[in-house]
Amino acid sequence: NVRKLIEKIKSGEKSYHFVEVMTCPGGCIGGGGQPKDREYKGDALRAKRIEGLYKRDDSMQLRLSHENPEIIKLYEEFYGEPLSELAEQMLHTVYFDRSADLGGVYIAPTEVQSAAGLKQFRCKVCGYIYEGASLPEDYICPTCGVGAEMFEEVR
């Protein structure tokens, strides 16, 4: 869809001051700002990066943001409570599906998917979304290669 957007900008059909495109293989873990290595390339590098992130996460004493004393204090002194009006205004964003603007396929809302018996499962590593009635036990993420145990149902 990036090519379609560029053509619309060139033709004058669309006008933007800034366009950000995020297409890192494997998601943010494979992005431009990530460490580079001369030994590993492509999928092997991403696999090592994933392994390193999991090792670091396992070694941390504080792993959950809602248990972080600084976050707790911030809510007590400033935001009031999670999901307060101030917290919603300052910390949350809203997603608008703009794929139709570029002739893309509209992503159906969760209610429509539920009515059709479909569920969504998100890869906890790279964010890939699998849609289906259920997630097969032997499913492998096509983006980062982890197994079904690393997927969570999107609710």
Side-chain angles (χ1 to χ4, degrees):
N1 283 333
V2 173
R3 180 168 291 141
K4 292 177 188 177
L5 176 62
I6 290 170
E7 293 304 320
K8 289 184 181 218
I9 292 170
K10 283 182 176 180
S11 73
E13 186 179 338
K14 296 284 182 181
S15 176
Y16 298 101
H17 296 287
F18 178 82
V19 175
E20 179 179 16
V21 178
M22 300 170 74
T23 61
C24 301
C28 295
I29 59 152
Q34 299 305 317
K36 303 299 180 222
D37 189 295
R38 295 181 189 274
E39 182 179 349
Y40 301 101
K41 303 288 184 220
D43 290 337
L45 177 61
R46 281 190 291 280
K48 284 290 183 186
R49 177 78 175 131
I50 291 167
E51 180 183 331
L53 290 171
Y54 275 112
K55 281 183 182 176
R56 179 176 169 126
D57 185 62
D58 285 342
S59 70
M60 297 179 76
Q61 289 181 331
L62 182 61
R63 297 176 59 204
L64 304 173
S65 61
H66 67 279
E67 294 177 358
N68 183 326
E70 293 177 6
I71 299 295
I72 293 170
K73 184 176 181 181
L74 180 65
Y75 271 96
E76 287 174 356
E77 295 180 3
F78 187 72
Y79 291 119
E81 62 182 341
L83 303 177
S84 68
E85 185 176 335
L86 182 59
E88 287 287 320
Q89 289 174 351
M90 297 188 74
L91 301 175
H92 296 258
T93 188
V94 177
Y95 171 76
F96 297 97
D97 187 329
R98 304 299 300 259
S99 57
D101 293 352
L102 299 171
V105 176
Y106 176 71
I107 300 170
T110 305
E111 299 82 40
V112 173
Q113 293 165 344
S114 295
L118 297 179
K119 296 179 182 176
Q120 288 187 333
F121 300 88
R122 178 183 298 116
C123 176
K124 293 189 266 186
V125 175
C126 70
Y128 177 82
I129 300 290
Y130 172 88
E131 289 186 2
S134 64
L135 183 70
E137 288 182 29
D138 61 346
Y139 187 75
I140 302 293
C141 179
T143 303
C144 68
V146 297
E149 71 279 358
M150 294 306 299
F151 278 73
E152 62 188 357
E153 186 174 346
V154 177
R155 299 193 183 271

